[in-house]
Amino acid sequence: MEAARSLAVLPWIALVFSLYAVRGNGFYLPGVAPADFQKKDPLQVKVNKLSSTKTQLPYSYYSLPYCMPNVIVDSAENLGEVLRGDRIENSPYGFFMREPQMCNIICKLTPNEKQAKEFREKIEDEYRVNMILDNLPLVVPIKRLDQDSSTVYQQGFHVGVKGQYTGSKDDKYFIHNHLSFLVKYHKDEQTDFARIVAFEVKPFSVKHVYEGNWNGNRTRLMTCDPHAKRTVSNSDNPQEVEANKEIIFTYDVEFQESEIKWASRWDSYLLMSDDQIHWFSIVNSLMIVLFLSGMVAMIMLRTLYRDISKYNQLETQEEALEETGWKLVHGDVFRTPTNSDLLCVYVGTGVQFFGMLLVTMIFAVLGFLSPSNRGGLMSAMLLLWVFMGIFAGYSSARLYKMFKGSEWKKIALRTAFMFPGVVFAIFFVLNAIIWGEKSSGAVPFSTMFALVLLWFGISVPLVFIGGYVGSKKPAVEDPVKTNKIPRQIPEQAWYMNPLFSILIGGILPFGAVFIELFFILTSIWLQQFYYLFGFLFLVFIILIVTCAEITIVLCYFQLCSEDYLWWWRSYLTSGSSALYLFLYAAFYFFTKLEITKMVSGILYFGYMLIASYAFFVLTGTIGFYACFWFTRLIYSSVKID
């Protein structure tokens, strides 16, 4: 009873723990040390990739003919940043702490036809320029029309806008060539040091006019003049992108003291979406799934208890009655399934995935993988996947030995290469497509080599070590003996058809995650921050419970109808939720995204195919182990001669 009481309390502890971490407030571990700046200290403004939600193809900042510094210096990027397409470089923008600047000239550009075409294409595809100051991404504050005081933040500013002159129907392309920066800082009361807490910009398109001859940065502009305190406040006379027509790039910098503390500076970035909808949707989904799970568990426990009592009572009374229901197939239920080697490989891979996700989510909930540590989440997932190979090998070998297999090295080899090989092949093709588009999202050869090295140098040996340990363990004994001759399976009702029951079984696990899936897809494909890892951890727990329960229920009905081929069906029942995930991804593509290019569509469905395949392996393994535990439990609970 005490153990049962402790188990009942666990979900509530997880709930409280997750809700504390859901917003990141008070539980926030930023992953970077704060930088203190004195007045007039130089501030390093860096430029990042050009990104677009319409094409999903990032490009480096200097792929467009923007103003360059004397020497371009690449920042050292981690593995996750490279895979995300980040290309962080220095910029010609010169900031000095708490020193306002007005109408600083960076350079004058006279684009040729090719350069003008490149600008127009990027404006057409709604590309945004991303910049970084003190590890904070540049945002554009946008006032919401439906709420008086609410402001949302858009990452990066658009390269330009497409519009028309008054009285004209011809589309023109206007470049944002004047940037009005706002740097907010939090000042220490005791010292003169300050920390940067916000980095905002308002972009303008201005056709600058100057007096006399061009004199570089010392040229006196008539459209904005620091001496006459004349600033750019609108784009009434915008700068059109035309070949052989000069464009002057300028910027302002304003510094503003803020009450926001350094530890809370990411809050406004992380709360960009309407969290009220998120709260309502998640809690609603959570309650429905918990209610269904409770009902299913109650029915199963009562029915099973009655079955086991009846079977044991018949044995004690020595009644020569014919056995019925699931006990009838006790001599075949643990018979080795067809393609048992492949099942062992998939189960081992699923264990590897489960371990990776569980550890990643624990670290994310604790705040170690915050967005301030760019690329940290992806790097952590890759490394954890590699090191979890030891559990994959162990699980595969243990199951293989239970199936009376003797060649554990063959199973370890297939576990180490099958899933990663399929994913790597798809990834390689997609990367070749990105490379063909000359996008910065293409993974360089050196990084590809590093990924292969992680796979062959660490993951494969660990899988073999796990396989060796698993093969040395004693084989798992079946609770009942298996008959030499397989029993004939009677004709099944239409609703117990394998395909039908498998497809039905995937609906509930997908229903547990599809609301959270919407927010995850939005963060990935619409380039928003995702930091509600507390919610995600709860949904992950709900997914595990739902996969386990729906598989157990359908497995019980299958055994009651004297169909003992449960091994593969238990895996496919919960694994079929991946099919619904892929269908939902297709629905999301056509209803939420504005992707028009075929290349971008191929990339989207390619990456979602990899995600769905991974989800299949994860949910299938959860369902398999739940059913494995359930069948061993019920057949060891009844007396069988």
Side-chain angles (χ1 to χ4, degrees):
M1 281 295 289
E2 288 299 321
R5 225 173 265 152
S6 303
L7 285 171
V9 171
L10 278 175
W12 296 104
I13 294 173
L15 176 66
V16 173
F17 178 69
S18 300
L19 291 181
Y20 263 110
V22 96
R23 283 174 177 262
N25 295 341
F27 217 66
Y28 176 72
L29 302 171
V32 289
D36 295 310
F37 299 98
Q38 283 185 309
K39 195 171 183 180
K40 296 187 179 180
D41 277 355
L43 302 176
Q44 196 172 15
V45 180
K46 296 180 180 180
V47 290
N48 200 349
K49 62 188 176 186
L50 306 172
S51 58
S52 167
T53 57
K54 288 185 74 174
T55 69
Q56 302 296 335
L57 292 168
Y59 288 89
S60 66
Y61 177 80
Y62 294 113
S63 64
L64 285 180
Y66 277 119
C67 305
M68 296 185 183
N70 295 328
V71 179
I72 296 175
V73 181
D74 289 327
S75 296
E77 289 134 355
N78 60 41
L79 186 60
E81 285 178 305
V82 174
L83 293 175
R84 277 164 32 114
D86 286 350
R87 297 295 181 267
I88 302 168
E89 298 158 313
N90 61 328
S91 76
Y93 296 93
F95 290 11
F96 297 92
M97 189 63 177
R98 288 150 61 194
E99 287 288 310
Q101 300 177 46
M102 189 185 295
C103 208
N104 263 16
I105 298 172
I106 314 172
C107 74
K108 182 182 73 167
L109 169 70
T110 306
N112 55 34
E113 185 57 49
K114 183 185 175 185
Q115 291 172 328
K117 185 184 175 185
E118 287 173 349
F119 272 122
R120 286 195 290 265
E121 285 175 351
K122 293 295 185 289
I123 294 170
E124 179 73 42
D125 290 331
E126 297 179 9
Y127 269 86
R128 296 176 187 171
V129 177
N130 295 283
M131 294 185 179
I132 300 167
L133 176 66
D134 189 35
N135 205 44
L136 270 181
L138 181 68
V139 292
V140 178
I142 301 170
K143 198 82 172 174
R144 289 183 60 163
L145 300 175
D146 56 338
Q147 297 178 19
D148 295 333
S149 58
S150 179
T151 302
V152 293
Y153 296 93
Q154 170 193 285
Q155 278 194 76
F157 64 91
H158 284 105
V159 173
V161 292
K162 184 179 175 183
Q164 300 166 343
Y165 287 114
T166 307
S168 172
K169 293 183 180 180
D170 296 331
D171 286 328
K172 300 291 183 183
Y173 296 89
F174 305 103
I175 190 170
H176 285 139
N177 61 324
H178 179 85
L179 304 176
S180 186
F181 293 105
L182 173 62
V183 179
K184 295 182 181 178
Y185 63 91
H186 183 79
K187 192 165 178 267
D188 191 287
E189 294 178 2
Q190 278 77 34
T191 66
D192 195 40
F193 287 108
R195 292 175 178 176
I196 294 168
V197 294
F199 184 33
E200 300 175 6
V201 70
K202 288 183 180 177
F204 298 97
S205 179
V206 182
K207 190 172 185 178
H208 284 302
V209 181
Y210 55 90
E211 297 175 349
N213 296 324
W214 178 255
N215 191 23
N217 294 359
R218 297 177 183 176
T219 306
R220 186 107 177 233
L221 299 177
M222 298 171 66
T223 37
C224 69
D225 188 355
H227 303 287
K229 303 294 182 186
R230 190 186 302 121
T231 60
V232 175
S233 58
N234 57 55
S235 299
D236 287 343
N237 189 22
Q239 175 65 59
E240 188 180 339
V241 179
E242 291 181 289
N244 305 317
K245 294 290 180 69
E246 62 183 31
I247 303 170
I248 299 170
F249 290 91
T250 56
Y251 70 95
D252 302 330
V253 187
E254 184 186 343
F255 289 86
Q256 181 181 311
E257 191 167 356
S258 172
E259 293 298 316
I260 299 171
K261 293 187 177 178
W262 187 87
S264 308
R265 66 179 189 164
W266 276 86
D267 285 2
S268 56
Y269 293 78
L270 302 179
L271 300 176
M272 278 195 259
S273 59
D274 195 339
D275 59 339
Q276 293 299 320
I277 296 173
H278 199 112
W279 269 97
F280 177 77
S281 301
I282 294 297
V283 171
N284 186 48
S285 175
L286 189 67
M287 291 301 107
I288 291 170
V289 174
L290 281 174
F291 176 73
L292 286 173
S293 302
M295 290 290 290
V296 165
M298 281 176 59
I299 293 166
M300 286 301 300
L301 287 172
R302 290 187 64 181
T303 308
L304 268 178
Y305 181 75
R306 189 172 64 245
D307 283 353
I308 291 168
S309 300
K310 184 180 73 174
Y311 289 147
N312 288 338
Q313 191 177 11
L314 288 173
E315 288 292 328
T316 54
Q317 292 176 359
E318 297 181 355
E319 295 178 2
L321 296 174
E322 187 181 351
E323 295 172 345
T324 57
W326 54 266
K327 190 186 176 187
L328 193 62
V329 293
H330 65 81
D332 297 278
V333 76
F334 291 106
R335 188 178 301 282
T336 301
T338 54
N339 295 319
S340 58
D341 292 9
L342 187 63
L343 182 63
C344 295
V345 170
Y346 269 111
V347 168
T349 306
V351 169
Q352 189 174 4
F353 246 106
F354 183 82
M356 177 197 76
L357 285 177
L358 185 65
V359 177
T360 301
M361 284 193 197
I362 290 170
F363 275 105
V365 166
L366 291 171
F368 288 109
L369 299 175
S370 72
S372 61
N373 184 13
R374 267 185 315 279
L377 181 64
M378 193 171 286
S379 300
M381 289 180 75
L382 274 171
L383 292 174
L384 283 169
W385 163 265
V386 166
F387 288 113
M388 288 294 166
I390 193 165
F391 297 106
Y394 178 83
S395 306
S396 298
R398 286 281 280 161
L399 191 61
Y400 181 66
K401 193 168 185 180
M402 195 189 81
F403 291 147
K404 308 296 188 292
S406 57
E407 300 177 14
W408 68 268
K409 291 178 184 176
K410 181 181 74 173
I411 291 299
L413 192 70
R414 289 177 69 180
T415 305
F417 285 99
M418 186 169 172
F419 179 85
V422 172
V423 171
F424 189 82
I426 298 171
F427 177 73
F428 188 83
V429 171
L430 295 177
N431 194 64
I433 293 170
I434 299 170
W435 181 78
E437 293 291 315
K438 299 178 181 177
S439 166
S440 66
V443 176
F445 176 77
S446 57
T447 307
M448 196 74 81
F449 180 75
L451 290 173
V452 173
L453 196 65
L454 281 172
W455 180 12
F456 282 83
I458 301 176
S459 182
V460 173
L462 285 176
V463 171
F464 269 87
I465 291 169
Y468 175 77
V469 174
S471 67
K472 293 299 177 186
K473 289 276 185 181
V476 179
E477 294 294 329
D478 297 332
V480 289
K481 291 181 180 178
T482 302
N483 296 334
K484 290 183 180 179
I485 300 172
R487 179 187 179 87
Q488 187 175 356
I489 299 170
E491 190 176 344
Q492 301 292 303
W494 66 270
Y495 51 83
M496 289 307 297
N497 179 278
L499 183 62
F500 181 77
S501 63
I502 285 168
L503 291 175
I504 288 294
I507 293 174
L508 197 59
F510 172 74
V513 300
F514 89 95
I515 295 175
E516 197 66 23
L517 183 65
F518 170 80
F519 291 100
I520 293 170
L521 289 177
T522 300
S523 69
I524 294 171
W525 299 106
L526 296 181
Q527 296 163 6
Q528 296 179 9
F529 286 114
Y530 183 89
Y531 196 59
L532 298 176
F533 292 113
F535 278 134
L536 190 60
F537 188 66
L538 280 177
V539 170
F540 185 59
I541 293 169
I542 293 296
L543 177 67
I544 295 168
V545 172
T546 311
C547 285
E549 288 188 346
I550 195 66
T551 310
I552 287 171
V553 170
L554 291 175
C555 181
Y556 174 72
F557 290 151
Q558 180 187 349
L559 293 174
C560 284
S561 63
E562 301 175 21
D563 182 357
Y564 53 84
L565 302 176
W566 64 272
W567 295 98
W568 270 109
R569 202 191 289 195
S570 66
Y571 196 99
L572 297 173
T573 295
S574 52
S576 65
S577 56
L579 174 64
Y580 297 103
L581 187 149
F582 189 77
L583 292 174
Y584 181 78
F587 171 78
Y588 184 87
F589 177 84
F590 290 110
T591 58
K592 298 294 179 184
L593 299 181
E594 297 179 4
I595 291 175
T596 52
K597 291 189 176 181
M598 182 179 284
V599 169
S600 305
I602 292 170
L603 291 177
Y604 176 85
F605 283 104
Y607 285 126
M608 290 314 300
L609 183 63
I610 292 174
S612 301
Y613 186 30
F615 194 70
F616 164 74
V617 170
L618 171 70
T619 53
T621 301
I622 295 168
F624 171 82
Y625 271 117
C627 208
F628 181 66
W629 167 83
F630 171 74
T631 49
R632 291 183 62 81
L633 180 70
I634 63 172
Y635 284 101
S636 61
S637 301
V638 293
K639 297 174 183 176
I640 296 170
D641 293 332

